[in-house]
Amino acid sequence: MTCDAISEKIDAYIDGYLEPDESDRIRDHLDGCLSCRELVSRENKFRQAMRSAMEEYPSPTLTARWFENLTSHQDSKNRGLWVGFSAGGAFAVAVMLLIMLGLPFQTQNQGEQLPGVRVTLNVPETIQLVVSVPQDLQESTITIMLPDNIEFEGLPGQRDITWVADLQAGSNLLALPIVARGTGAGTLVARVTHKNKRKNFKVNLDVGTREQTPRKVRSTNKFSI
Amino acid sequence: MGNLLDMMRFRSGPTRFEALVRPHIKGLYRAAYRFVGNSADADDLVQDVLFKVYSKRDKLKKVDKLRPWLMTVLYRAFIDKTRRDGRSRLVLVSSVKQGDENVVDFFEATPSPDPGPGEITERMYTGERIKKALAELNEDQRSLCVLHDMEGFTLSELADILDTPMGTLQSRLHRARVRLRKLLSDGLFEKDKASFLNKG
């Protein structure tokens, strides 16, 4: 192996990307070639200098601020999405769905008549879900899936959302701001998963125009599942 | 009645997220600093990454190796930021003529593998030169040098992080190193060079 060939492969050799037999051939050459050994030595120094350069680390205060900002950032987003809607609640229809989540989990029966609610086209409305559980359920995964003609208010085109939450024994309130973008009936699916158990709850949503849907300042409908 | 959203925010949100991400935060900041070359932009970059990752925190549990995943987010945030800014945020340096007798050979200025206390200043000096040389590289070359030569990712890992074939990365890394070595061995930095010579 010539010095030129060594020069071409020196990076791959030092970085450990060559096959063992090729590395062996280079080592054999290095044993008898001072200039190539010096080349390897210089390259090693270069790599060591790179690894130790610009080693800057954040202060504990800065790190704490990053994580604090996450909470406040999330709060401000949530205010826009969840709380902000209720400020314009004059035209909102609040629907209370009482969901009994017992263990073991069960699914709704086929053919069972679903609770339903009528919503108005292009009018932001809030659906309130109450998830009632008999015991604390740590790290439950909650998924909300909306029909094609309805989206989350403030999230154009978004029809499903998933997050992890710790459910407390008793009732847990979730306010879902939605807006219908097309008329017709559809089904909202609320899925709660805990460990290997899952339960789906379905609610019929029937979208009509303002003329078809009597305006309600605020009404509460309770459904027991 | 407990509010589900409150629980999402305060109980299973930041605390749990923080427990997963905090072990990687120092490495994330170090890489960010190496990308952008100053602490203010590194601060912004890491905060931006945390916002992005936090919004996808439901995916974190499914991530097999968090460090490369976070580095992918950081790299993309860096590229986005650089392109958004429309210019390099790093400080350009002055140059000296080729063949200047005062040019310092980079390798002679590199500290030994086991620097003693007296070499700490020299190590800082070398780091400053590397920082300035990195600023001369384009974003792709700089990212590659930072992630491979400074952060220690392999080309195989970088193929995923940078979404680029290994062969392309290998030749790109070679070109980046050639450029970096030339910048360093040309002794581009007159002030550094002078201070270095004075020390000797």
Side-chain angles (χ1 to χ4, degrees):
Chain A
M1 188 170 265
T2 65
C3 292
D4 285 345
I6 295 289
S7 178
E8 284 179 10
K9 294 182 181 296
I10 198 69
D11 279 342
Y13 170 73
I14 294 174
D15 293 336
Y17 294 136
L18 293 182
E19 296 296 325
D21 58 338
E22 199 164 16
S23 289
D24 289 344
R25 285 202 295 275
I26 289 179
R27 263 192 293 274
D28 290 344
H29 176 92
L30 291 176
D31 285 343
C33 181
L34 178 61
S35 64
C36 283
R37 282 204 303 276
E38 287 174 346
L39 175 64
V40 170
S41 175
R42 287 199 300 272
E43 288 295 332
N44 280 328
K45 286 182 180 178
F46 169 75
R47 281 160 175 74
Q48 202 235 337
M50 289 290 283
R51 282 194 298 273
S52 59
M54 300 174 74
E55 285 196 299
E56 296 286 329
Y57 296 101
S59 67
T61 307
L62 181 60
T63 303
R65 181 168 59 77
W66 286 331
F67 286 103
E68 285 167 11
N69 287 345
L70 288 182
T71 308
S72 56
H73 181 73
Q74 187 68 26
D75 283 350
S76 64
K77 285 180 71 175
N78 284 339
R79 266 194 295 279
L81 175 61
W82 304 100
V83 183
F85 172 74
S86 60
F91 302 107
V93 177
V95 179
M96 184 72 79
L97 298 174
L98 184 62
I99 299 174
M100 296 302 296
L101 183 65
L103 293 176
F105 285 29
Q106 298 171 337
T107 55
Q108 284 174 317
N109 296 327
Q110 290 282 341
E112 181 182 358
Q113 186 173 1
L114 300 178
V117 62
R118 193 169 177 82
V119 295
T120 305
L121 184 67
N122 293 325
V123 176
E125 302 188 15
T126 294
I127 293 179
Q128 293 187 23
L129 300 178
V130 178
V131 180
S132 183
V133 294
Q135 63 195 60
D136 286 348
L137 298 177
Q138 304 290 322
E139 296 187 8
S140 296
T141 300
I142 299 168
T143 300
I144 305 293
M145 290 168 280
L146 297 176
D148 288 342
N149 57 335
I150 297 178
E151 63 190 25
F152 290 104
E153 167 67 5
L155 298 172
Q158 185 159 346
R159 294 183 176 82
D160 60 82
I161 188 168
T162 298
W163 70 96
V164 176
D166 296 339
L167 295 176
Q168 294 173 320
S171 298
N172 300 269
L173 174 66
L174 169 62
L176 288 177
I178 61 165
V179 59
R181 297 304 185 194
T183 56
T187 303
L188 177 154
V189 179
R191 174 186 295 161
V192 179
T193 306
H194 183 252
K195 294 184 178 174
N196 60 343
K197 297 171 182 175
R198 171 184 293 182
K199 186 164 186 174
N200 289 333
F201 302 98
K202 295 178 181 176
V203 177
N204 279 336
L205 298 176
D206 189 14
V207 180
T209 61
R210 193 179 292 274
E211 292 72 29
Q212 294 169 321
T213 310
R215 180 184 294 185
K216 297 176 182 177
V217 172
R218 184 171 288 279
S219 67
T220 300
N221 299 305
K222 290 185 179 179
F223 296 92
S224 179
I225 299 174
Chain B
M1 179 183 293
N3 187 304
L4 209 56
L5 288 171
D6 284 343
M7 286 186 286
M8 181 175 70
R9 265 178 266 161
F10 300 117
R11 293 179 58 181
S12 64
T15 303
R16 195 162 178 283
F17 172 82
E18 189 172 338
L20 279 172
V21 173
R22 188 178 268 274
H24 301 279
I25 209 74
K26 285 187 176 179
L28 207 56
Y29 180 83
R30 182 184 60 205
Y33 182 84
R34 285 168 161 173
F35 279 149
V36 296
N38 68 80
S39 53
D41 283 344
D43 176 3
D44 287 347
L45 201 53
V46 171
Q47 182 74 82
D48 187 30
V49 167
L50 289 179
F51 282 144
K52 285 183 165 68
V53 174
Y54 189 61
S55 70
K56 299 173 183 173
R57 59 192 179 282
D58 55 318
K59 294 181 181 175
L60 283 182
K61 283 196 296 187
K62 300 172 188 169
V63 176
D64 186 28
K65 293 180 179 176
L66 201 51
R67 183 174 178 247
W69 190 81
L70 289 170
M71 209 54 73
T72 304
V73 180
L74 174 68
Y75 165 72
R76 288 175 183 165
F78 164 64
I79 294 297
D80 287 348
K81 180 180 175 65
T82 305
R83 288 174 184 165
R84 196 168 55 240
D85 292 349
R87 61 187 176 85
S88 170
R89 304 298 293 271
L90 299 179
V91 181
L92 296 178
V93 297
S94 60
S95 61
V96 294
K97 294 175 185 175
Q98 292 266 1
D100 187 320
E101 61 181 5
N102 291 325
V103 167
V104 178
D105 182 90
F106 164 72
F107 297 110
E108 291 175 4
T110 305
S112 66
D114 300 309
E119 290 177 311
I120 290 176
T121 306
E122 187 174 318
R123 179 184 283 265
M124 288 173 62
Y125 160 78
T126 304
E128 192 64 22
R129 293 184 73 201
I130 290 175
K131 182 165 84 173
K132 290 177 179 177
L134 275 175
E136 292 285 294
L137 303 181
N138 64 40
E139 289 79 11
D140 285 340
Q141 290 179 331
R142 194 189 314 156
S143 302
L144 201 46
C145 284
V146 166
L147 293 171
H148 187 277
D149 290 349
M150 303 175 92
E151 293 296 326
F153 286 99
T154 64
L155 286 176
S156 172
E157 290 171 321
L158 292 178
D160 291 332
I161 292 173
L162 305 178
D163 195 23
T164 306
M166 268 184 64
T168 304
L169 291 179
Q170 199 156 15
S171 54
R172 192 181 291 171
L173 178 63
H174 176 73
R175 286 195 298 272
R177 281 170 168 170
V178 168
R179 171 105 170 107
L180 197 58
R181 288 187 194 104
K182 182 168 175 21
L183 286 164
L184 291 165
S185 62
D186 277 356
L188 275 173
F189 317 113
E190 281 187 305
K191 288 180 182 176
D192 293 341
K193 175 190 64 188
S195 63
F196 178 76
L197 290 175
N198 288 338
K199 278 191 295 182

